Amino acid sequence: MRSSGLPTRREAYEEAPGLIPRRAILALSVASLAACAARGAIKIVPEARGLGASEQVFIGTTRGFDQEEAEPFGRGRTATLRFVRVDVSIPPGHRPGEIDWPAKKHKADPETEFVATAQEIYDGPGAFRADLVRALRTRRDAVIFIHGFNNTFAEGTYRLAQLGHDLQIGAVLVHYSWPSRASPLGYVYDRDSALFARDGLEELIGQVRAAGARRVTIIAHSIGCMVAMETLRQMAIGGKRGLIAGIDGVVLMSPDIDIDVFHEQARRIGRLPQPFLIFTSKKDKALALSARLTGQRDRVGNLRDPSELADLEVTLIDTTAFSTGGGHFNVGNSPALLSILGRIGDVDSAFASDRTGRPGLLGGVVLSLQSATQIILSPVTAIADQ
């Protein structure tokens, strides 16, 4: 009996030939995003204001809305982009990479858990943009985060607050909450929702630019990377090159995208926003199963042969050595990798003039492959302590 409890690949396929095997789907859910293992909820605790650190998260969402529900933004889809702001309190004892979720049926403890001190649901884009304008007066730049598979509205919001705090991003935090089913068995629904969600993300990018953001960086995870790439492709086809030009960088974390599809998306987009960073791991169990379900060996996020993207102007950052658990969100859960991402400007400048393969600033090895560059990170260097 295997200690992991997961079926082998052969078992998963022999169980239901010609169909997507149920046990493989169950295994995919077990190996999926660590942040989604616990079900978080937005708990509004005004008295938590000032207790710990605070992060303000602006949100555009195409989730169905029901104001009668305790969690008004659910798994349903709507073509109308709604706008929200959540002020998140980070507990005083917070450790980098971790989120302590307030459970739905228990009283939240702001001393130890992420809570909201306020939530504003805007009547329309005008009020949302006016608040964004005020926030951008001090921070000027914006980061748009797109969550991955099996996420609730609350979980994506708290995850961005955690990343904003741990990375000390110093930009206005904007979250695109697309309609994930937030279910371990909702993989196909989420894949369809990724296509449904393109228009909403395009509109949100336009709102952030219209509010005066000097620079916009897109950070996406898992299937959220499909949302990001499809939206950029759509914008290019629609002739919105100016909107794409306003994107100052893209970070894809564990992208759940077929390699051939990624090539076609990139071809249509044209020159990719720079820097264009892709965090990968060969030990990503969720992507290994996703690849098997599609009959392929790899997804972009667990690419074994970087030469497959050699013609693209991207930087592949291999985080395999830092993988723990399912290995599907190494950057968000690892203090060392959080440090790397927080210093990504240093990474870019450190390696820009040295593509020879020598150990670099972060204990990595650099391999140059035509346009693409792969950085294989090593845990030997005490990155988090630098």
Side-chain angles (χ1 to χ4, degrees), residues 216-220 228-229 232 247-252 272-278:
V216 176
T217 301
I218 292 178
I219 301 177
M229 288 299 292
L232 291 173
I247 296 172
D248 198 55
V250 174
V251 178
L252 302 184
L272 297 173
Q274 295 299 316
F276 198 104
L277 310 174
I278 304 174

Side-chain angles (χ1 to χ4, degrees), residues 47 105 119 152 273 288 356 366:
E47 57 269 26
K105 297 183 179 180
Q119 177 175 272
T152 67
T356 63
V366 184

